[in-house]
Amino acid sequence: MPESALYAAARARGATFLEIDGFTVAGDFGDAEAEYRALRVDAALVDLPFRQRLRATGVDRVPFLQGMLSNDVAALGAGEGCAALLLTEQGKVVADFAVLALEDALLLDGLASAVAAATAALERFIVADDVELAPLGATDHAFGLYGPGAAAALATLGVPALPDGDFGHGPYRVGDVETRIVRVPEPGAGGFHCLVPASSAAQWWVHCIDAGITAAGHRAFDVLRIESGVPWYGHDVGPDTIALEAPYERAISFRKGCYLGQEVMERVTARGHVNRKLVGLEATDRKVPATGARLFAGDRDVGWITSVCWSWRLQRSIALGYVRREHVAPGTTLALGAADTTATLTVRPLPFA
């Protein structure tokens, strides 16, 4: 298959590539640690081809999604947005995404696998509703501009006034390309998602890099994500995850009316706990644990690792993982494997300090 213009441009600037969730992305541009530092202290641009959009139109789109999603989408005006979940009747996660309100549509923006799962699930509930769901697929392309200097970086591109509030968004012109810019609160210091027509993705990316914005690959981005405690759909959360087990507080409204899975959310909240939680885990030595490795308290299996990386900032391995509620207190030490009591991990609050 011919290489796309975007990846040819990235390769020309030193990119090596990875496969992430079935998508080809730049792994790094020669110095992943330097790219990570830019994401932490300045700003850097990350390719996000694995993020896609589902467009909901029709006069019933708002009441329909209000009854399906975990957050209050009916309260959104055009240019506003929120985090939200689609749950099963049992309160388990079908998909997580940002909901972006337009004048004539709602966009559900998330990982491609989450968008596909949401499309299939939502279509089953459309009966007499005037709602049409249209996956945008490869018609547009997402980039993330993250870091405390992200707004200043956009100003150098001629975008001085930016959306207010988490997931606020609007249309802007960057160079010669129409771009929807969405303010996002994470990972790290947060920044912006930039949604660009797919046909202009290479031109848009080159324009940003030529303007002096640092290009960062997925390796640096994933370290920042794990440090920030941001779950990755299909790895840290999925169809077996009860929503309250993961750090999804901003995606759940406890004041709106009924929605799919609400009874479970209310019941678990009234009970005061879930049986396990996604927590941060910090290695006590330089051993990098494997994704999926089991965690033990004595001879009892109490959890497992879902994401892991080497943190340049902390100078040790860190991970996300599920741990039974009896062992989630910060400072709790767990063994990495039943037979390996020398390799231990310590529970840390999220995000990692």
Side-chain angles (χ1 to χ4, degrees):
M1 185 174 178
E3 185 174 62
S4 74
L6 176 59
Y7 299 134
R11 191 182 299 280
R13 287 161 174 77
T16 59
F17 294 92
L18 300 172
E19 291 293 318
I20 302 295
D21 287 2
F23 292 83
T24 301
V25 298
D28 63 63
F29 290 84
D31 190 341
E33 184 176 358
E35 296 159 27
Y36 163 83
R37 286 198 300 270
L39 288 166
R40 267 290 177 196
V41 304
D42 186 13
L45 187 64
V46 180
D47 186 20
L48 306 174
F50 38 71
R51 291 194 72 90
Q52 295 186 354
R53 267 65 50 205
L54 175 65
R55 184 182 181 94
T57 55
V59 296
D60 295 330
R61 66 187 184 277
V62 173
F64 173 73
L65 288 175
Q66 180 74 349
M68 292 289 105
L69 304 184
S70 63
N71 216 339
D72 191 359
V73 299
L76 300 177
E80 297 178 331
C82 67
L85 306 171
L86 176 62
L87 306 176
T88 67
E89 292 89 339
Q90 295 75 37
K92 295 184 177 181
V93 178
V94 176
D96 65 346
F97 30 63
V99 180
L100 309 177
L102 309 178
E103 290 286 353
D104 59 351
L106 291 171
L107 295 182
L108 308 186
D109 174 22
L111 293 183
S113 54
V115 169
T119 303
L122 290 170
E123 284 178 341
R124 294 190 298 108
F125 289 96
I126 299 174
V127 181
D129 308 275
D130 182 2
V131 178
E132 183 174 347
L133 302 177
L136 299 185
T139 61
D140 60 9
H141 194 100
F143 297 93
L145 181 60
Y146 305 113
L154 282 172
T156 68
L157 299 172
V159 187
L162 290 161
D164 293 324
D166 290 350
F167 305 105
H169 57 97
Y172 297 85
R173 196 161 190 84
V174 178
D176 296 326
V177 179
E178 290 293 333
T179 306
R180 180 162 296 276
I181 297 178
V182 184
R183 185 182 291 273
V184 294
E186 54 192 12
F192 303 91
H193 286 167
C194 303
L195 310 181
V196 179
S199 59
S200 301
Q203 170 193 342
W204 190 93
W205 185 85
V206 169
H207 177 73
C208 293
I209 302 309
D210 286 349
I213 298 175
T214 298
H218 189 80
R219 291 187 178 94
F221 167 78
D222 205 42
V223 174
L224 183 68
R225 175 190 73 83
I226 293 171
E227 288 180 347
S228 303
V230 178
W232 186 275
Y233 180 84
H235 296 267
D236 304 300
V237 296
D240 293 327
T241 308
I242 296 173
L244 294 174
E245 295 173 340
Y248 279 136
E249 290 81 6
R250 67 162 53 93
I252 300 172
S253 171
F254 289 96
R255 296 187 299 274
K256 63 172 279 187
C258 295
Y259 62 89
L260 200 64
Q262 182 197 28
E263 287 187 13
V264 174
M265 296 298 98
E266 297 287 353
R267 188 162 62 247
V268 171
T269 301
R271 188 175 67 192
H273 64 80
V274 287
N275 289 330
R276 64 187 185 189
K277 290 285 288 185
L278 189 71
V279 300
L281 297 158
E282 184 177 280
T284 54
D285 58 23
R286 296 187 66 88
K287 182 174 181 178
V288 178
T291 300
R294 305 301 302 191
L295 300 167
F296 284 78
D299 60 358
R300 188 182 181 198
D301 186 333
V302 298
W304 70 97
I305 290 172
T306 58
S307 290
V308 64
C309 70
W310 174 262
S311 168
W312 291 292
R313 180 170 63 90
L314 299 174
Q315 284 296 292
R316 62 186 60 214
S317 296
I318 60 171
L320 302 178
Y322 285 96
V323 175
R324 284 196 57 84
R325 63 185 179 89
E326 300 91 343
H327 306 280
V328 298
T332 301
T333 299
L334 302 172
L336 182 62
D340 189 358
T341 55
T342 61
T344 58
L345 293 163
T346 302
V347 176
R348 297 298 187 209
L350 293 174
F352 285 88

